[in-house]
Amino acid sequence: MNGISFALPEIFMLVAALVVLLVDLFLRQHSRILTYMLTQAALLAAALLVYGNFADGAARQVVGDMYMHDYLASLLKVVALLLTCAIVVYGRKYWSNHQEAPGEFYVLVLFTVLGMMLMVSSTHLVVLYLGLELMSLSLYALVSLLRDNSRATEAAMKYFVLGALASGMLLYGISILYGLTGSLELLAIAEVLGHEAGAQTVPLLLALVFLIAGLGFKLGVVPFHMWIPDVYQGAPTAVTALIASIPKLATFALLVRLLVSGLGNITSDWAQILMVLGMLSIILGNLVAIAQTNLKRMLAYSAIAHMGFILLGISTQSADGSSAALFYAIVYVVMSVGGFGILILLSQAGLDAETLSDLKGLNKRSPWFALLMLMLLFSMAGIPPLAGFHAKLLVINSVLQAGYLVLAIGMVIMSVIGAFYYLRAIKMMYFDEPQDSTPLRWDLEFGVTLSLNGVWVLVVGFMPNLLITACVRALDAKHLL
């Protein structure tokens, strides 16, 4: 198998996105179902191509040593493609509520996934940056799809300006790193830094700070979190579901590639920074989420806290900690997409459901979907036996094993505090009278997808070993750069 064939899923995705773009240009509004079907076919076909190329042996560099074919990349790509299929299903219902189906939504979703696929496999800083920008620019455009909505426009502007600032910081860090090592390839950078006796120079630490600041923005951790609540609230709910999932997985891969693989010889420096940012994110995210009455903003602050757990897992500098962080990232994005799916279900024609009061009486309107939301919220709170419980337990255990007892105690305390706002939402679903008794409407495809999304956290909760094994293998030295 030659090098280009390893990049076949990405090449296919690029061609598919261009085909969908061209086909959509000639379609009338009532024919947009064809755009939707082509998008789903492209995502499923790309997932099959990745599965066919699934790397189960030693990692290898391909395409001029700019691309990594390994288990981590294959796993994240499959998860991202399947989750995007669910998001597109939710998106179709969301846009039907607004009596329009913009073809741009489907095209931009495909380009977002393509950018993510480039990021998770890249071992060259230029390719990595191109993937990041492709994903980011597509998301900026997606946030502003509701052109007549001033809140969406404001969110898009804020997201674009702050995102451009973060990209600039990341690029500045890459430039300093290139100036110090003379290479943009991660293996070569690691080799040069490994042979230098005094690698911890001021310029190198400066590069590290810029890189972490740029990545911190993409993850939305404290103190780079300011855009998260406004963008989550202002963006169309279907787009918020996308922002809450694919970029988190891509940024996780970026963190591992850049810090663990490229800057592994200054581990103690970046680990301390991640530790501080992670704990601050858990504290601020959980405390501020309690005060929120807008459900999308509550989920935004909740996301900040969850990202803190991921950072703390990576900061332990151990394989167990990194694999626990990967398990946490995958579980979180599935839970988050399901939560936004329920919000789309509650939305009506031209009116988005986004406040906590919209959940009132959900059990009386639909016991099944109330049960699904209950499982998703319990899982986010870390209540056994759901998947979120194992995610929190694995990360806290890895922090404890690394010798950070105070941090582990702090994570447990903040998890208990954070459970309050999830339980408040559940209380509204089961014990309050519904404000709106309009029957919920959904088609078979939406109902099945949302049901699978919700039941997944229960299945993984009872059988976590399969996913844990996959995450351990993905971060194993034999399968990683």
Side-chain angles (χ1 to χ4, degrees):
M1 186 179 286
N2 58 47
I4 291 295
S5 61
F6 289 113
L8 191 58
E10 286 79 359
I11 296 170
F12 171 80
M13 183 59 74
L14 174 62
V15 174
L18 295 175
V19 169
V20 172
L21 175 63
L22 284 174
V23 170
D24 186 72
L25 285 175
F26 299 98
L27 292 178
R28 295 181 183 276
Q29 184 67 27
H30 65 272
S31 304
R32 285 269 152 69
I33 184 68
L34 181 58
T35 310
Y36 166 77
M37 293 173 68
L38 285 174
T39 303
Q40 289 288 33
L43 290 168
L44 290 173
L48 288 174
L49 286 173
V50 174
Y51 185 75
N53 271 347
F54 211 96
D56 202 13
R60 70 180 78 174
Q61 285 186 286
V62 295
V63 196
D65 291 343
M66 292 191 294
Y67 221 60
M68 179 57 68
H69 181 63
D70 62 4
Y71 196 93
L72 174 65
S74 300
L75 177 66
L76 288 178
K77 285 178 192 174
V78 168
V79 172
L81 286 164
L82 295 180
L83 264 183
T84 308
C85 286
I87 292 168
V88 171
V89 171
Y90 300 158
R92 184 183 170 215
K93 173 166 174 52
Y94 177 83
W95 294 114
S96 70
N97 289 338
H98 289 75
Q99 297 185 333
E100 57 179 319
E104 300 95 315
F105 172 75
Y106 302 107
V107 177
L108 289 169
V109 164
L110 291 178
F111 278 117
T112 300
V113 178
L114 175 60
M116 178 268 176
M117 294 170 75
L118 291 174
M119 284 174 67
V120 299
S121 285
S122 172
T123 56
H124 194 280
L125 292 177
V126 171
V127 179
L128 182 150
Y129 187 75
L130 288 175
L132 177 67
E133 286 305 294
L134 178 59
M135 185 181 77
S136 299
L137 290 172
S138 303
L139 289 174
Y140 302 150
L142 279 166
V143 172
S144 60
L145 273 182
L146 292 175
R147 300 179 186 87
D148 298 329
N149 187 315
S150 59
R151 203 172 57 187
T153 308
E154 180 188 340
M157 283 300 296
K158 187 175 288 186
Y159 193 21
F160 173 72
V161 172
L162 293 177
L165 185 65
S167 295
M169 286 192 284
L170 191 64
L171 199 55
Y172 197 50
I174 290 174
S175 303
I176 297 174
L177 205 55
Y178 176 69
L180 291 172
T181 62
S183 177
L184 289 169
E185 200 272 309
L186 288 177
L187 264 184
I189 290 172
E191 190 175 347
V192 171
L193 295 179
H195 284 89
E196 289 188 6
Q200 292 177 326
T201 60
V202 172
L204 181 57
L205 295 179
L206 193 60
L208 181 62
V209 170
F210 278 115
L211 290 171
I212 290 181
L215 295 176
F217 174 87
K218 299 300 178 186
L219 271 177
V221 294
V222 174
F224 313 106
H225 65 284
M226 296 78 73
W227 62 277
I228 291 262
D230 291 340
V231 172
Y232 271 46
Q233 185 181 4
T237 306
V239 176
T240 311
L242 185 68
I243 293 173
S245 55
I246 307 299
K248 311 298 185 193
L249 295 177
T251 310
F252 175 86
L254 199 52
L255 271 173
V256 172
R257 300 257 187 245
L258 203 53
L259 299 183
V260 179
S261 302
L263 301 175
N265 68 320
I266 55 170
T267 303
S268 59
D269 293 304
W270 57 254
Q272 290 175 28
I273 299 175
L274 294 191
M275 208 170 285
V276 173
L277 299 185
M279 201 60 222
L280 287 176
S281 300
I282 292 173
I283 294 171
L284 184 137
N286 279 317
L287 292 180
V288 180
I290 293 173
Q292 304 304 312
T293 56
N294 184 289
L295 189 51
K296 289 171 83 174
R297 291 185 78 87
M298 190 195 87
L299 291 175
Y301 282 105
S302 158
I304 294 169
H306 287 296
M307 292 306 105
F309 272 87
I310 293 173
L311 284 193
L312 283 175
I314 298 174
S315 72
T316 58
Q317 312 167 49
S318 65
D320 286 345
S322 296
S323 57
L326 175 58
F327 181 88
Y328 200 108
I330 292 174
V331 169
Y332 166 72
V333 296
V334 175
M335 295 185 304
S336 181
V337 169
F340 286 109
I342 293 287
L343 280 186
I344 291 173
L345 173 72
L346 293 171
S347 299
Q348 300 173 6
L351 184 64
D352 288 356
E354 58 178 46
T355 64
L356 277 169
S357 59
D358 289 319
L359 287 175
K360 285 183 176 178
L362 177 59
N363 183 51
K364 292 180 179 173
R365 300 175 71 186
S366 171
W368 172 242
F369 287 115
L371 178 63
L372 290 179
M373 189 61 169
L374 177 140
M375 289 195 293
L376 290 166
L377 291 174
F378 269 174
S379 185
M380 287 186 190
I383 293 174
L386 298 161
F389 164 73
H390 296 286
K392 286 186 190 293
L393 184 65
L394 286 171
V395 173
I396 292 172
N397 187 49
S398 67
V399 170
L400 203 55
Q401 293 296 322
Y404 301 107
L405 176 63
V406 176
L407 276 183
I409 292 173
M411 294 164 78
V412 172
I413 292 173
M414 293 314 302
S415 295
V416 173
I417 292 174
F420 168 79
Y421 53 85
Y422 295 119
L423 294 175
R424 180 178 57 186
I426 292 169
K427 175 255 177 190
M428 288 181 174
M429 289 193 304
Y430 280 89
F431 297 104
D432 289 359
E433 290 298 319
Q435 289 185 336
D436 181 5
S437 56
T438 307
L440 297 174
R441 297 178 186 277
W442 69 89
D443 57 26
L444 180 63
E445 185 183 25
F446 182 90
V448 170
T449 305
L450 189 52
S451 299
L452 290 175
N453 200 157
V455 170
W456 185 88
V457 299
L458 183 63
V459 173
V460 172
F462 280 112
M463 296 183 293
N465 288 337
L466 187 63
L467 184 56
I468 290 173
T469 304
C471 293
V472 169
R473 186 179 297 179
L475 274 300
D476 185 83
K478 289 183 295 185
H479 299 277
L480 192 64
L481 176 65

